[in-house]
Amino acid sequence: QVDRFLHQLRLSDDVLQDVTARFQAEMLKGLARDTNPTAAVKMLPSFMRSLPDGSEKGQFLAVDLGGSQLRAHQVKVFDDGKQSSQLESKLYPTPKEVTQGNGAELFDYIADCLSDFMETRNLKQKKLPLGFTFSFPCKQTKLDEGVLLEWTKHFRVRGVQGTDVVSSLHRALQKHQANLDVLALVNDTVGTMMTCGYDDQRCEVGLIIGTGTNACYMEEMRHISLVEGDEGRMCINTEWGAFGDDGALDDLRTEFDRELDLGSLNPGKQLFEKMISSLYLGELVRLILLKMTKEGLLFNGKVSTALLTKGKIEMKHVSAMEKHKEGLSNTREILRELKLFPSEEDCVAVQHVCTIVSFRSANLCAAALAAILTRLRDNKKLLRMRTTVGIDGGLYKTHPKYAQRLHKVVRRLVPTCDVRFLLSQGGSGRGAALVTAVALRLAAQRRRLDAALAPFLLPPSTLQEVRDSMRAELEYGLKRETQGQATVKMLPTYVCGMPDGTEKGKFLALDLGGTNFRVLLVKIKSGRRRSVQMYNKIFAIPLEIMQGTGEELFDHIVQCIADFLDYMGIKGARLPLGFTFSFPCRQASIDKGTLVGWTKGFKATDCEGEDVVDMLREAIRRRNEFDLDIVAVVNDTVGTMMTCGYEDPNCEIGLIAGTGTNVCYMEDMKNIEIVEGNEGQMCINTEWGAFGDNGCIDHIRTKYDREVDEGSLNPGKQRYEKMTSGMYLGEIVRQILIDLTKQGLLFRGHISESLRKRGIFETKFLSQIESDRLALLQVRRVLQQLGLDSTCEDSIIVKEVCAAVSTRAARLCGAGLAAVVEKKRQNRGVERLQITVGVDGTLYKLHPHFSRLLQETVKELAPQCAVTFMLSEDGSGKGAALITAVAKRLHNVGQK
């Protein structure tokens, strides 16, 4: 009979899976900015971004409001490697005049209780951080504030809704002269997750099943459109009690649910909670028994006054009646107290009603929890997931069978999740203290991280200083009397013209500038069908040759040329050759270049101070197999400018931002005092990487820059390059990561073997880590390749460090370039300059933000110049051939 009468309360697995799907849809609605306002399930961001990591320590107070009593706690957390904590608590009643009075009285009462608690514990003299557990839906925009959305459970306090409960508590505490700092407002569900997370690092869901019901879990920031930022995770307080308030569960609600709702303090609200939590289950049982009695199915149809009275059957009665052995005798006793006279069958039937009502509660709870677990698993892209659910609440703890039913149904609904259910010890109060401890830890970490990265944030005034210093150094390098001492060498290249489109013929180009060496054959056609065709071959330069003797290096180069000529079948032709040599050279003419000093890891002996063209000719002679006409020795930056100049006649500046960094530009002959003649222009290779070698930018160099410099092959040299170029940025990042790890801010304070290796952190990793499309999971993968086992928080910090280093590099580079374009504008004597910069280099091309930041900086620091940036296609190969072609053309014009 009971089964027939209550068939609607029995839910099959199919129905439960449908409830899971409905709750998943509700979660998505609550997370999205445009649907959140109308969503029933509010999915409130808690601004709790991190679970305990075991390094928390200190003394904290917590106050917990929301259940049947107010609790004050003193929590001591020890950083002893064992993650231990001590909890001392005191309970205070919450009388009806407080829970249904006005706001000022409520917060005064809380402050009173806290003052009393501090007195009994001799804490009046100490300034302690306080965590405030407030178990009602609040809209938070940071951890230490929360605006009450609405009261739930049995609370109805006037004048609090729509106000910030933290500042109300602050005011009340000040009135009582309580020396407390409210650092965190925590929902009891979040507190439960934190408490369990302290004991089990896998815990990422909190669940309350007591007077009320709710759940929270760690969601990926990129899915929370209500909060700025995509990095990391944040705990979301679902406020799932309101699931169904928009009608989503109407088909599952029975006449008894409707009747209970109508008689409640908040009709039409918290409909899911009213089917689940202990505040309502006893009342549901009463309504069912009342109707069955009226229909003559129980107690011979005789209704007592008690059975007609709301609230006469409570959850404790339901639990007692469902007990395994003494359940029947408990049932008889409870019914007699209600002045009912049950037969044996009546007792069995009533017990059965209790079971059906509490079982439905566990089923619904399991269905919604299954939706959260599935979401976590999908977020992590796992087929199977191990996780822990932290759980608290009187119904779960005291009901004889609730826990075991819930576990069983959850495992049936999500077989791909291995779930551990962990009972919260010390409840949400200890949780609030832990949230406060984590907040303190994060705030201290934030301060130390900010302090470490502060020197990388260059304000506009500093960038203006850099621009002006660079401008002064450019001038020193051009003047005869200061050129000798200048750090920015301003080397004349003897390239005096740009391509005009009449260049044609076959040219060879050599490109030496890094760990690879290229030989190219370039065919240039002129006229209407202008084109450049290229054929090339790449050869490696082994380390022992980079750092051997000069003779070995040039013999290796000639060996590579011979291979290429054979490969192309052109060994007999005496072709004009352009030699791209990307190291600082002093030139006396276009085909004479004396090496000033090696950079980029080259160390070959007997080369510095020698003419590299002569060394190449000597090596060709030694081999005695072929002859070449070496027309021009070219810097890769000049090649870059020429390549873009072939496409855009407005291009008069070349920039390299790659492994190294450099700039060249067309300067008026009259300003170049170290070269005879005042007519026309000549390209100047600035060699600006050495900017700052005289100490003029020491004030912006950090301790990390100094460490990188001291560990490099050329300490004290190329200081600007070491702050701006690809070869060094990864190493700066590595030095910062080591420092942060020593401070305990990263990798749990453990410096792995791989992090100790110089050069392990290549600049390409910066580009990968800073890519906007990369989720933190992928950042963790990059770090795993480097042997670094990182948490989500670690990944966020690493990403921030990379951004600080690369942003500074782009801004410094932009400040230098602003000095060059301003100089061009003044040379021309125009109000506004339109000019194109040819750019090459992996950092500029591959890093996700470098080019944008560089361009923005130039715009800010040289506002009267409209600068177009043009990517160079193979400056060092095609550019060298074009320079050779231009030199040939000008030479022929000269001969005529």
Side-chain angles (χ1 to χ4, degrees):
Q1 272 181 326
V2 174
D3 278 348
R4 228 186 16 256
F5 198 79
L6 296 181
H7 73 96
Q8 243 198 305
L9 277 89
R10 288 187 167 278
L11 306 173
S12 68
D13 276 5
D14 285 349
V15 171
L16 292 178
Q17 272 165 341
D18 184 42
V19 171
T20 298
R22 291 185 211 183
F23 189 68
Q24 277 177 309
E26 290 296 321
M27 287 168 77
L28 287 175
K29 256 196 218 163
L31 285 172
R33 178 171 283 150
D34 36 356
T35 47
N36 173 279
T38 57
V41 179
K42 279 295 174 218
M43 303 295 280
L44 301 169
S46 69
F47 292 82
M48 186 60 247
R49 295 165 192 267
S50 177
L51 289 160
D53 71 352
S55 69
E56 292 76 17
K57 56 177 182 285
Q59 262 204 80
F60 306 91
L61 285 186
V63 61
D64 182 351
L65 176 77
S68 37
Q69 289 166 310
L70 176 102
R71 299 155 195 262
H73 310 273
Q74 179 190 2
V75 184
K76 290 181 184 154
V77 184
F78 306 101
D79 174 18
D80 54 5
K82 294 201 281 290
Q83 302 205 359
S84 47
S85 65
Q86 236 178 9
L87 175 76
E88 295 180 24
S89 310
K90 188 170 176 184
L91 301 181
Y92 296 88
T94 47
K96 194 165 177 181
E97 55 270 25
V98 170
T99 61
Q100 300 187 13
N102 71 41
E105 288 163 1
L106 169 69
F107 289 104
D108 276 345
Y109 181 69
I110 299 173
D112 258 344
C113 297
L114 275 169
S115 294
D116 170 75
F117 182 70
M118 287 168 78
E119 225 147 76
T120 58
R121 291 268 175 289
N122 288 327
L123 297 172
K124 274 295 206 197
Q125 269 43 64
K126 293 187 174 167
K127 185 169 175 71
L128 289 174
L130 172 75
F132 182 17
T133 301
F134 186 73
S135 313
F136 304 94
C138 281
K139 186 175 166 45
Q140 290 184 260
T141 52
K142 43 184 200 278
L143 193 57
D144 57 355
E145 69 165 48
V147 173
L148 175 67
L149 293 175
E150 57 188 329
W151 289 111
T152 56
K153 293 171 281 210
H154 52 291
F155 279 72
R156 276 293 157 283
V157 183
R158 296 184 300 283
V160 183
Q161 213 168 319
T163 66
D164 173 20
V165 295
V166 176
S167 43
S168 303
L169 179 59
H170 256 305
R171 280 196 296 277
L173 289 168
Q174 276 172 336
K175 218 161 81 183
H176 284 72
Q177 291 166 349
N179 196 8
L180 290 171
D181 228 354
V182 190
L183 284 191
L185 177 74
V186 186
N187 178 283
D188 56 340
T189 325
V190 180
T192 298
M193 181 183 77
M194 291 301 271
T195 302
C196 296
Y198 189 66
D199 301 324
D200 178 346
Q201 300 254 320
R202 283 186 197 279
C203 180
E204 45 191 352
V205 181
L207 177 60
I208 301 268
I209 315 168
T211 319
T213 180
N214 193 9
C216 69
Y217 72 103
M218 294 301 284
E219 176 58 89
E220 302 286 324
M221 278 290 288
R222 65 178 189 277
H223 297 149
I224 310 172
S225 62
L226 299 165
V227 181
E228 285 304 304
D230 288 338
E231 304 302 345
R233 304 199 299 170
M234 182 182 282
C235 176
I236 288 287
N237 162 21
T238 63
E239 286 296 341
W240 77 7
F243 177 32
D245 287 7
D246 55 358
L249 295 174
D250 282 1
D251 54 329
L252 299 178
R253 292 174 66 232
T254 62
E255 57 181 300
F256 309 111
D257 293 308
R258 290 194 178 83
E259 196 176 335
L260 175 138
D261 176 45
L262 286 173
S264 70
L265 281 169
N266 53 352
K269 298 222 163 92
Q270 301 293 105
L271 298 182
F272 188 60
E273 180 165 86
K274 285 173 185 165
M275 297 162 85
I276 289 181
S277 79
S278 63
L279 190 61
Y280 305 102
L281 294 191
E283 183 61 9
L284 268 179
V285 168
R286 183 187 74 81
L287 292 170
I288 293 167
L289 297 185
L290 180 59
K291 182 166 184 199
M292 288 177 73
T293 310
K294 282 181 176 170
E295 293 194 7
L297 297 171
L298 289 173
F299 318 126
N300 294 324
K302 294 199 175 83
V303 175
S304 68
T305 322
L307 190 58
L308 286 166
T309 311
K310 183 178 159 187
K312 274 292 180 193
I313 299 181
E314 293 175 32
M315 192 61 223
K316 62 180 181 196
H317 301 131
V318 177
S319 293
M321 290 192 272
E322 279 194 72
K323 282 220 168 101
H324 180 51
K325 286 196 175 125
E326 59 269 37
L328 264 180
S329 59
N330 289 345
T331 306
R332 187 174 299 111
E333 209 167 296
I334 289 163
L335 293 173
R336 281 188 179 148
E337 277 172 21
L338 296 171
K339 302 285 185 289
L340 297 161
F341 302 101
S343 64
E344 194 65 26
E345 287 82 44
D346 287 342
C347 290
V348 172
V350 169
Q351 211 182 6
H352 198 45
V353 169
C354 291
T355 302
I356 288 174
V357 168
S358 64
F359 214 125
R360 180 184 71 157
S361 164
N363 273 335
L364 287 171
C365 201
L369 181 58
I372 290 177
L373 293 169
T374 306
R375 180 152 184 90
L376 277 172
R377 199 200 65 208
D378 291 348
N379 279 349
K380 295 182 181 183
K381 300 186 170 49
L382 294 173
L383 294 173
R384 266 200 101 73
M385 172 180 79
R386 268 184 72 184
T387 192
T388 299
V389 174
I391 199 162
D392 203 354
L395 177 51
Y396 180 87
K397 289 200 280 203
T398 58
H399 187 285
K401 297 176 179 147
Y402 198 97
Q404 139 204 15
R405 287 173 187 162
L406 177 81
H407 301 175
K408 212 167 160 182
V409 181
V410 168
R411 293 190 175 120
R412 242 187 11 245
L413 293 176
V414 272
T416 51
C417 293
D418 304 316
V419 188
R420 175 186 183 208
F421 290 90
L422 182 60
L423 197 56
S424 162
Q425 300 298 325
S428 46
R430 179 168 167 236
L434 281 167
V435 171
T436 311
V438 169
L440 267 182
R441 165 173 69 84
L442 291 177
Q445 279 180 351
R446 184 74 256 171
R447 282 195 300 276
R448 280 152 58 199
L449 181 63
D450 286 347
L453 297 183
F456 288 87
L457 300 173
L458 303 179
S461 56
T462 305
L463 291 169
Q464 283 160 5
E465 282 169 31
V466 172
R467 174 198 64 195
D468 299 343
S469 293
M470 177 67 86
R471 179 64 198 270
E473 294 294 320
L474 297 177
E475 301 292 354
Y476 291 149
L478 288 172
K479 301 255 180 296
R480 186 174 281 121
E481 64 271 18
T482 48
Q483 211 272 341
Q485 293 82 58
T487 47
V488 179
K489 284 294 178 217
M490 304 296 281
L491 305 171
T493 62
Y494 294 86
V495 171
C496 297
M498 298 295 285
D500 68 357
T502 63
E503 296 76 20
K504 59 177 190 288
K506 285 185 187 173
F507 303 89
L508 272 184
L510 308 184
D511 176 14
L512 176 70
T515 44
N516 289 332
F517 168 66
R518 286 190 310 157
V519 188
L520 304 94
L521 173 65
V522 183
K523 295 179 181 172
I524 303 176
K525 287 187 182 152
S526 64
R528 291 231 326 264
R529 309 195 50 187
R530 249 175 48 152
S531 69
V532 179
Q533 278 178 303
M534 298 195 289
Y535 309 88
N536 73 39
K537 209 165 175 198
I538 296 176
F539 302 90
I541 298 189
L543 194 66
E544 62 272 17
I545 286 186
M546 279 168 76
Q547 302 185 0
T549 68
E551 205 163 279
E552 287 167 345
L553 174 64
F554 280 91
D555 282 347
H556 178 73
I557 290 172
V558 172
Q559 166 75 55
C560 298
I561 297 172
D563 285 357
F564 180 74
L565 296 176
D566 278 341
Y567 171 72
M568 296 299 292
I570 49 172
K571 215 169 209 170
R574 186 173 187 269
L575 293 174
L577 176 136
F579 182 14
T580 299
F581 187 74
S582 306
F583 303 93
C585 273
R586 211 174 233 86
Q587 288 185 253
S589 68
I590 196 160
D591 62 348
K592 285 193 178 355
T594 306
L595 176 63
V596 176
W598 285 118
T599 55
K600 293 181 281 202
F602 275 76
K603 269 278 204 235
T605 56
D606 311 322
C607 294
E608 294 183 358
E610 298 295 324
D611 180 353
V612 293
V613 176
D614 284 346
M615 292 182 82
L616 181 59
R617 284 192 182 125
E618 286 297 315
I620 291 174
R621 219 166 281 141
R622 277 198 296 278
R623 191 171 177 95
N624 197 16
E625 247 181 61
F626 54 85
D627 195 16
L628 296 169
D629 171 19
I630 305 171
V631 174
V633 59
V634 183
N635 179 282
D636 56 344
T637 323
V638 184
T640 296
M641 179 184 78
M642 285 305 244
T643 310
C644 294
Y646 187 66
E647 308 292 335
D648 176 355
N650 222 1
C651 177
E652 294 196 354
I653 300 176
L655 165 69
I656 299 271
T659 314
T661 180
N662 195 10
V663 152
C664 71
Y665 71 102
M666 295 302 285
E667 178 60 273
D668 294 352
M669 282 292 286
K670 61 176 188 288
N671 296 332
I672 311 173
E673 294 186 2
I674 44 177
V675 178
E676 291 304 310
N678 283 333
E679 289 310 306
Q681 291 187 309
M682 182 185 286
C683 178
I684 290 287
N685 163 20
T686 64
E687 287 297 340
W688 78 359
F691 173 50
D693 289 4
N694 58 2
C696 69
I697 53 171
D698 277 3
H699 62 294
I700 61 170
R701 289 172 76 228
T702 64
K703 61 178 179 180
Y704 310 113
D705 294 307
R706 286 190 268 282
E707 276 162 16
V708 170
D709 181 37
E710 281 156 23
S712 69
L713 284 169
N714 53 351
K717 297 214 164 82
Q718 300 293 103
R719 289 182 183 175
Y720 181 63
E721 179 165 81
K722 284 172 187 164
M723 295 165 82
T724 53
S725 79
M727 184 157 180
Y728 302 100
L729 298 188
E731 188 53 23
I732 299 173
V733 167
R734 187 183 74 90
Q735 293 291 350
I736 300 172
L737 298 186
I738 287 176
D739 185 33
L740 296 179
T741 308
K742 282 181 185 161
Q743 291 186 46
L745 299 178
L746 268 180
F747 310 130
R748 300 195 176 81
H750 171 67
I751 301 179
S752 66
E753 270 317 300
S754 59
L755 194 56
R756 293 180 200 275
K757 287 194 194 112
R758 183 168 289 284
I760 168 106
F761 210 96
E762 295 169 48
T763 299
K764 69 170 183 202
F765 292 135
L766 262 78
S767 294
Q768 287 173 13
I769 286 171
E770 286 188 70
S771 163
D772 294 330
R773 294 186 306 279
L774 260 201
L776 284 178
L777 276 173
Q778 287 153 296
V779 176
R780 284 170 79 170
R781 260 180 225 133
V782 172
L783 293 173
Q784 269 162 1
Q785 285 171 16
L786 298 173
L788 300 170
D789 185 26
S790 70
T791 63
C792 179
E793 282 83 32
D794 289 338
S795 306
I796 294 173
I797 292 176
V798 170
K799 195 163 180 175
E800 209 172 313
V801 169
C802 290
V805 171
S806 65
T807 299
R808 181 189 68 160
R811 292 213 174 281
L812 281 175
C813 202
L817 189 56
V820 177
V821 295
E822 258 306 299
K823 176 153 186 25
K824 286 292 294 177
R825 187 181 72 80
Q826 286 168 14
N827 281 357
R828 285 206 203 156
V830 291
E831 186 63 27
R832 280 194 68 72
L833 173 75
Q834 280 211 319
I835 195 163
T836 299
V837 177
V839 200
D840 203 350
T842 46
L843 191 57
Y844 186 91
K845 285 181 171 174
L846 302 180
H847 188 281
H849 309 300
F850 189 93
S851 58
R852 175 179 53 80
L853 290 166
L854 175 118
Q855 291 175 27
E856 283 170 9
T857 308
V858 173
K859 206 170 179 176
E860 284 160 28
L861 297 179
Q864 289 167 274
C865 304
V867 184
T868 306
F869 288 82
M870 182 176 184
L871 278 181
S872 153
E873 292 306 318
D874 193 14
S876 34
K878 184 173 164 183
L882 282 165
I883 290 171
T884 309
V886 172
K888 272 291 200 205
R889 169 170 66 77
L890 294 176
H891 179 70
N892 293 343
V893 170
Q895 280 189 332
K896 281 176 193 166

